[in-house]
C-alpha cells in the first residue's frame, strides 16, 4: 500500500524513504528481551509510558524492564478490538544458543502487571512458537498505521495465534515493520503480500536479505554485514552466519563471519560507514537528521 506524497500533499516518511532509496541494513533496534502488554484501548504516542495505570505498579514494571534492558511494547490482536476476557502479557528472551524462551500471564487489574517483575528475573520456558509483531502505532507515526494495519491483518489471517500489532519499535520510515521475537529479527518495507511470504520463509528457517533490517543482538555494522552476506550467498537460518570479529578503522569496518555448511566457512566483509544528507526521517520529526549507512565494499569467502 502506497500513498504518493505528491498526490496527497502530506508528508509520509515511508514514502519519502522509498523515493530516496534509504538502506534498511543495520537499522534493527538493539535488545534481546521484550515485555509485551496487551492493551485493547487507544495507545498514547509514548506507548506504555503514557498509559494511565496505577503509579506504583507502573514504576515497578518500568524499573524491572530497565534492569533487564527489556523493551516494553503494547500489543493487541489485528482486526476488530476485543473487549472480553483478561488481557495477556509476555516476557520474551533471546538466547545466543537459539533456545529462545518465553513466559506468559494475564492481567485484569493494574496490580496484576506486577507479575511481570519476577518474570523478568526468570529464565523463561522454551518451546513456544515465535511471536510476530507488526508496528501499527499510528499515534507515534502515521506511516505505522497506514502501512502496518493491512500487514497485521494479512499476517493475522495466516497465523492468528502468533500475530500481534505492537507499539513503536523504531524505524518508522521503513514501515511496515515486522519483528519476529524472541528470534530478534527485524524486517521492513513490507506490504501484505511480501510480509506473508517473508514470515513464511522465516518460520521455515530461511531468512532473506531483501526486507531484512537486522538482528537485534548485533551492532549496526554487524547487522549490515549479515545482510550483505545473505544477499551474496542466499537465504539461511537465524544462526547459520555468526559475526566472530569486528574491527574499525576510521570510516571502514572489517568483519569476520563464520558460516555453517553448506555456506562458506569463513567470510570477510568490508563496509564503509557514511552519513546521508540530513532529512526528515519520521512523519513528526521536529528537525532534519542524518542517518548512517553501512555500505558493503567487499565480500570474500574461503
Amino acid at each position: 500500500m502506497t500513498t504518493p506524497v505528491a498526490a496527497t500533499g502530506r508528508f509520509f516518511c515511508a514514502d519519502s524513504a522509498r523515493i530516496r532509496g534509504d538502506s534498511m541494513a543495520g537499522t534493527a533496534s538493539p535488545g534481546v528481551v521484550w515485555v509485551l502488554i496487551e492493551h485493547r484501548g487507544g495507545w498514547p504516542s509514548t506507548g506504555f509510558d503514557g498509559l494511565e495505570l496505577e503509579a506504583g505498579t507502573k514504576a515497578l514494571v518500568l524499573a524491572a524492564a530497565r534492569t533487564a534492558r527489556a523493551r516494553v511494547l503494547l500489543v493487541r490482536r489485528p482486526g476488530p478490538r476485543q473487549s472480553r476476557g483478561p488481557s495477556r502479557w509476555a516476557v520474551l528472551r533471546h538466547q545466543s544458543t537459539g533456545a529462545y524462551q518465553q513466559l506468559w500471564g494475564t492481567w485484569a487489574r493494574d496490580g496484576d502487571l506486577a507479575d511481570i517483575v519476577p518474570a523478568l528475573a526468570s529464565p523463561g520456558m522454551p518451546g513456544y512458537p515465535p511471536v510476530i509483531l507488526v508496528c501499527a502505532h499510528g499515534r507515534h507515526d502515521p506511516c505505522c498505521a497506514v502501512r502496518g494495519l493491512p500487514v497485521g491483518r494479512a499476517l493475522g489471517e495466516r497465523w492468528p495465534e502468533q500475530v500481534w500489532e505492537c507499539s513503536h519499535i523504531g524505524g518508522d520510515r521503513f514501515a511496515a515493520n515486522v519483528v519476529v521475537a524472541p528470534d530478534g529479527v527485524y524486517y521492513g518495507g513490507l506490504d501484505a503480500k511480501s510480509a506473508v511470504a517473508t514470515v513464511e520463509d522465516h518460520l521455515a528457517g530461511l531468512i532473506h536479505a531483501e526486507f531484512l533490517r537486522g538482528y537485534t543482538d548485533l551492532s549496526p555494522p554487524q547487522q549490515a554485514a549479515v545482510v550483505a552476506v545473505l544477499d551474496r550467498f542466499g537465504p539461511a537460518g537465524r544462526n547459520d552466519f555468526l559475526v566472530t570479529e569486528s574491527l574499525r578503522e576510521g570510516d571502514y569496518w572489517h568483519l569476520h563471519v563464520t558460516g555453517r555448511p553448506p555456506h562458506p566457512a569463513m567470510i570477510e566483509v568490508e563496509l564503509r560507514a557514511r552519513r546521508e544528507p540530513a532529512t526528515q526521517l519520521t512523519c513528526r520529526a521536529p528537525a532534519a537528521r542524518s542517518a548512517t549507512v553501512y555500505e558493503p565494499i567487499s565480500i570474500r569467502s574461503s
Side-chain angles (χ1 to χ4, degrees), residues 17-76:
R18 282 161 176 74
I19 291 170
R20 293 190 302 265
D22 289 4
S23 173
M24 294 188 293
T27 64
S29 300
V32 295
V33 184
W34 295 265
V35 176
L36 311 183
I37 298 175
E38 184 178 5
H39 184 74
R40 298 164 186 167
W43 295 346
S45 61
T46 54
F48 179 74
D49 288 0
L51 287 183
E52 294 184 3
L53 298 173
E54 193 276 318
T57 301
K58 185 176 177 180
L60 282 174
V61 172
L62 288 174
R66 283 193 296 269
T67 299
R69 297 183 178 179
R71 183 159 199 158
V72 182
L73 298 174
L74 299 179
V75 299
R76 62 189 172 216

Side-chain angles (χ1 to χ4, degrees), residues 37-216:
I37 298 175
E38 184 178 5
H39 184 74
R40 298 164 186 167
W43 295 346
S45 61
T46 54
F48 179 74
D49 288 0
L51 287 183
E52 294 184 3
L53 298 173
E54 193 276 318
T57 301
K58 185 176 177 180
L60 282 174
V61 172
L62 288 174
R66 283 193 296 269
T67 299
R69 297 183 178 179
R71 183 159 199 158
V72 182
L73 298 174
L74 299 179
V75 299
R76 62 189 172 216
R77 292 297 192 186
R81 295 185 185 178
Q82 304 172 0
S83 59
R84 296 183 178 179
S87 297
R88 303 182 72 188
W89 60 261
V91 173
L92 314 179
R93 191 181 304 275
H94 175 92
Q95 300 287 343
S96 59
T97 60
Y100 311 140
Q101 297 170 327
Q102 305 181 29
L103 273 177
W104 289 81
T106 60
W107 69 288
R109 299 174 295 106
D110 293 1
D112 297 338
L113 291 174
D115 292 339
I116 293 172
V117 175
L120 278 166
S122 169
M125 298 289 292
Y128 288 93
V131 174
I132 303 161
L133 301 169
V134 184
C135 184
H137 198 173
R139 288 189 181 178
H140 183 88
D141 192 286
C143 285
C144 296
V146 170
R147 294 177 179 269
L149 289 172
V151 166
R153 287 194 295 269
L155 292 174
E157 290 172 1
R158 179 69 174 81
W159 297 281
E161 298 303 316
Q162 292 175 251
V163 176
W164 299 83
E165 294 175 354
C166 72
S167 56
H168 176 61
I169 56 174
D172 307 340
R173 62 192 165 119
F174 301 123
N177 288 295
V178 170
V179 179
V180 183
D183 301 25
V185 179
Y186 266 60
Y187 295 102
L190 297 167
D191 58 20
K193 182 178 180 181
S194 60
V196 171
T198 297
V199 172
E200 196 165 57
D201 281 345
H202 180 108
L203 297 178
L206 291 176
I207 295 175
H208 295 258
E210 183 178 5
F211 299 104
L212 181 62
R213 291 179 55 189
Y215 297 164
T216 64

